[in-house]
Amino acid sequence: MGIETKYLVGQGYDGAASMSGIFNGTQAHIRTKHPMALYIHCSSHCLNLAISFSCKIPDIRNCMGTMQTVCNFFSYPKRSNVLLGTITKLLPDEKSFKLKKFCPTRWVERHDAVILYYELQPAIISALEDISLWKDTDTSSAANQLLASIHQFKFQISMMILVKLFSISVSLSKFLQTENVDLENALSFAENTQATLKDIRLNADKEFNELFKSIEKICSTLEIAVCVPRISCRQTHRNNVDVDTPESYYRVAVFIPFLDNFIEQLHNRFLEHRSILMSFDCLIPKPNCKVTKDIEDQFKLLLETYKDILNDDILNEYSCCAELKLWHNSFEYQAQCSQQSKITVTDLFFQCNSEMYTIISKLLQIFITLPVTTASGERSFSTLRRIKTYLRNTTGQNRLNGLSMLNIHRDIIITPEEIVNEMGKTSNKRLALHL
């Protein structure tokens, strides 16, 4: 492929043992030949794992299971038509007319699925009530069972907790799947999300009180009794919280544990990313911050790690440290002249004069090259799955590559005149299209 593997500085995968194993994983085998290729756990997968682990609280898990069953129930055409009719009748301003399935791997889809279910719940209940009157025994009994599950207060309060917290994390989930995300920006967004959740945790009583009042209004409309589950002294699989009110029970038994788990998981899952960021932190100028000995030591460690890539004739300790000080001083001077907001590492790289700051420019290039997520690569796999269907099973490799590139880079506009001109330049009219 013509790729110079000596410049391999990063590798990103999900957390599967076959990929991330420290002894026999793919990343371990690659690092034996290319020691500079840091393994970075995909940030999107880290967020997915954090949310997945947090949702193991019984009430939250059961709530999501019920919503998933409802989505599967309405996946049949006859039932979905009933749901479509109730949405059109009860929610005329609603733009979505179909529930989203709970994808087991893409948690951003689960964010949207939970929020969409909450918005369509009145129409869902009405549709289930209509279907429960059908003569088909299996379908009507399944609808009645779903109605019984939905009309439980613990389902409604768990759904509201999910909607509240998923509304905060959905932005991070979508951001981590965008292109050109650098490590510092991703961690900054994750820490901002974590800080927002911590603020909610500090004001848990007030936040949950507002949420509880809103769910009480919904329950009064649906005629659902606001109550505390039965408490048993011998029960081991249920939170037997000794409280007087339903609000206190669900705040202590569901809301706070779910919030604490989410915050803790976000912190733990991104620890490795923070350690990598700390090693490159010396390259990022900060206002009113001088180059200290610790910053110089970090910089020297980077020089030692990537000395094979830097490959500079004047690579010595004094000249490199002098370049680092000049780099920091230049941004301190710019900050005094203009009150510019914080810029990303990618912006730093493009602002860096590679002729004046040779070493800094190369290290910044390495930094922004480190893979943050594998979302772009996985989207390419999804494209291949959509293109190479059963009917295209005999498609050749060249044609498959061409169709995939056309689909992946569909933002590039190709005019018919350009195709005709290219075909006119060759005698072979079966032209292989390469972008």
Side-chain angles (χ1 to χ4, degrees), residues 32-225:
T32 55
K33 295 184 178 180
H34 306 283
M36 292 182 295
L38 290 175
Y39 163 65
I40 300 177
H41 193 175
C42 171
S43 300
S44 295
H45 284 86
C46 288
L47 178 61
N48 293 348
L49 290 172
I51 299 174
S52 178
F53 187 88
S54 303
C55 290
K56 289 183 178 180
I57 295 175
D59 287 340
I60 299 294
R61 181 194 61 212
N62 296 338
C63 174
M64 295 192 70
T66 301
M67 286 190 283
Q68 185 172 4
T69 306
V70 171
C71 293
N72 295 335
F73 180 82
F74 283 107
S75 62
Y76 296 92
K78 188 176 179 181
R79 302 171 190 174
S80 63
N81 289 335
V82 177
L83 178 61
L84 176 61
T86 55
I87 293 174
T88 307
K89 181 180 178 181
L90 300 178
L91 305 170
D93 297 331
E94 183 61 45
K95 296 181 180 179
S96 300
F97 300 100
K98 187 178 180 181
L99 292 172
K100 289 187 177 181
K101 291 187 177 181
F102 285 64
C103 180
T105 55
R106 296 184 62 195
W107 269 87
V108 67
E109 298 293 337
R110 293 202 174 195
H111 285 85
D112 296 336
V114 170
I115 296 172
L116 181 61
Y117 176 90
Y118 168 70
E119 295 174 352
L120 299 181
Q121 181 173 249
I124 292 171
I125 293 175
S126 178
L128 288 173
E129 289 174 348
D130 293 341
I131 295 174
S132 65
L133 302 176
W134 287 5
K135 294 182 180 180
D136 184 359
T137 307
D138 294 337
T139 305
S140 59
S141 61
N144 273 316
Q145 291 173 6
L146 290 175
L147 279 172
S149 299
I150 292 173
H151 280 84
Q152 291 184 8
F153 182 71
K154 63 180 180 180
F155 170 81
Q156 295 294 328
I157 192 67
S158 299
M159 178 190 66
M160 285 299 297
I161 293 172
L162 283 170
V163 170
K164 182 177 181 62
L165 298 185
F166 277 10
S167 299
I168 297 172
S169 61
V170 66
S171 299
L172 174 61
S173 184
K174 291 180 179 179
F175 174 77
L176 291 178
Q177 297 188 47
T178 57
E179 297 179 354
N180 302 324
V181 182
D182 60 69
L183 190 60
E184 190 209 16
N185 220 0
L187 273 179
S188 177
F189 210 133
E191 289 173 354
N192 185 27
T193 303
Q194 186 179 353
T196 305
L197 294 173
K198 285 182 178 179
D199 289 339
I200 296 175
R201 178 63 180 89
L202 290 174
N203 302 297
D205 294 345
K206 180 182 177 181
E207 294 283 346
F208 189 75
N209 179 259
E210 295 175 357
L211 186 145
F212 195 81
K213 288 179 180 178
S214 62
I215 199 62
E216 279 184 323
K217 294 179 181 178
I218 296 175
C219 290
S220 63
T221 305
L222 299 176
E223 298 181 354
I224 299 175

Side-chain angles (χ1 to χ4, degrees), residues 212 226-229 231 241-252:
F212 195 81
V226 179
C227 59
V228 177
I231 297 176
V241 183
D242 187 13
V243 292
D244 299 330
T245 62
E247 179 182 348
S248 301
Y249 175 84
Y250 286 103
R251 184 183 67 249
V252 176

Side-chain angles (χ1 to χ4, degrees), residues 398-417:
N398 291 334
R399 181 172 176 79
L400 181 62
N401 289 342
L403 291 173
S404 301
M405 296 296 285
L406 284 171
N407 187 279
I408 294 170
H409 300 285
R410 54 184 174 272
D411 56 321
I412 301 176
I413 300 175
I414 301 176
T415 62
E417 290 77 10

